[in-house]
Amino acid sequence: MNLSNMYQEVILDHYKSPRGKGLQETFGGEAHHVNTTCGDEITVRVQLSEDGNSIKKISYASTGCSISQASASIMFEQIDGKNLTDFNKSSEEFLAMMQSKGKFEPNEDLLGDGVSMIGVAQYPARIKCALLSWMAAKDAIIRAKGE
Ligand code: ZN
């Protein structure tokens, strides 16, 4: 099995068995994002820790294509419980990878299963699908911080 097939398996697995899907009742910030070109939608809720420095709990509800759904599951797995510095690093790494047209050496420590999305970066029409959940999470965090 080559790398590209393996990555497709990872994406398919997240799509079929999404991690952390389902909105939590308690949250400090919420963001709803829509990818109009594809029809993907996501709502992300974030509860920050008392000191405001880390993500105590993140949850989401989403509908859409396999890329957007898998990306939301991967995002959850990678950032739930992380501090905001780590979230920013992962989020910036993911954005850089998606804007790289696939010419990128992704940092697996920062992205986890997100490295499987590198192939998507070669398809401009699908980049928004992959970025949707990360952008919504970023917005939800900003709202949770009350900025
Ligand atoms: Zn999509």
Side-chain angles (χ1 to χ4, degrees):
M1 188 181 277
N2 67 32
L3 198 63
S4 145
N5 284 342
M6 199 181 79
Y7 280 168
Q8 280 172 21
E9 288 293 317
V10 173
I11 292 171
L12 203 60
D13 180 56
H14 277 278
Y15 175 57
K16 285 181 176 166
S17 320
R19 301 354 173 224
K21 196 171 179 178
L23 291 172
Q24 59 172 342
E25 293 302 316
T26 311
F27 61 96
E30 180 184 79
H32 179 73
H33 279 214
V34 179
N35 174 15
T36 50
T37 54
C38 182
D40 313 315
E41 286 192 41
I42 189 165
T43 299
V44 175
R45 288 178 176 175
V46 169
Q47 179 76 10
L48 296 178
S49 60
E50 259 91 273
D51 61 13
N53 291 329
S54 57
I55 298 165
K56 194 172 176 188
K57 190 69 199 165
I58 187 161
S59 67
Y60 66 96
S62 60
T63 55
C65 70
S66 54
I67 299 293
S68 68
Q69 301 305 293
S71 185
S73 170
I74 291 168
M75 180 274 297
F76 168 84
E77 192 172 75
Q78 194 58 26
I79 71 171
D80 188 45
K82 292 280 170 68
N83 68 51
L84 294 185
T85 310
D86 286 342
F87 168 79
N88 286 332
K89 280 185 195 161
S90 294
S91 154
E92 278 162 24
E93 177 82 356
F94 193 73
L95 181 62
M97 181 177 81
M98 295 317 295
Q99 292 173 338
S100 71
K101 298 185 173 72
K103 292 175 181 59
F104 195 74
E105 295 267 346
N107 181 335
E108 198 166 354
D109 290 340
L110 293 177
L111 296 182
D113 282 350
V115 297
S116 66
M117 293 269 165
I118 189 156
V120 179
Q122 294 168 32
Y123 302 94
R126 311 310 301 278
I127 292 173
K128 269 192 186 171
C129 304
L131 285 175
L132 189 71
S133 54
W134 288 87
M135 297 297 130
K138 206 170 190 177
D139 259 6
I141 289 168
I142 288 168
R143 286 177 191 169
K145 287 167 89 175
E147 284 170 1

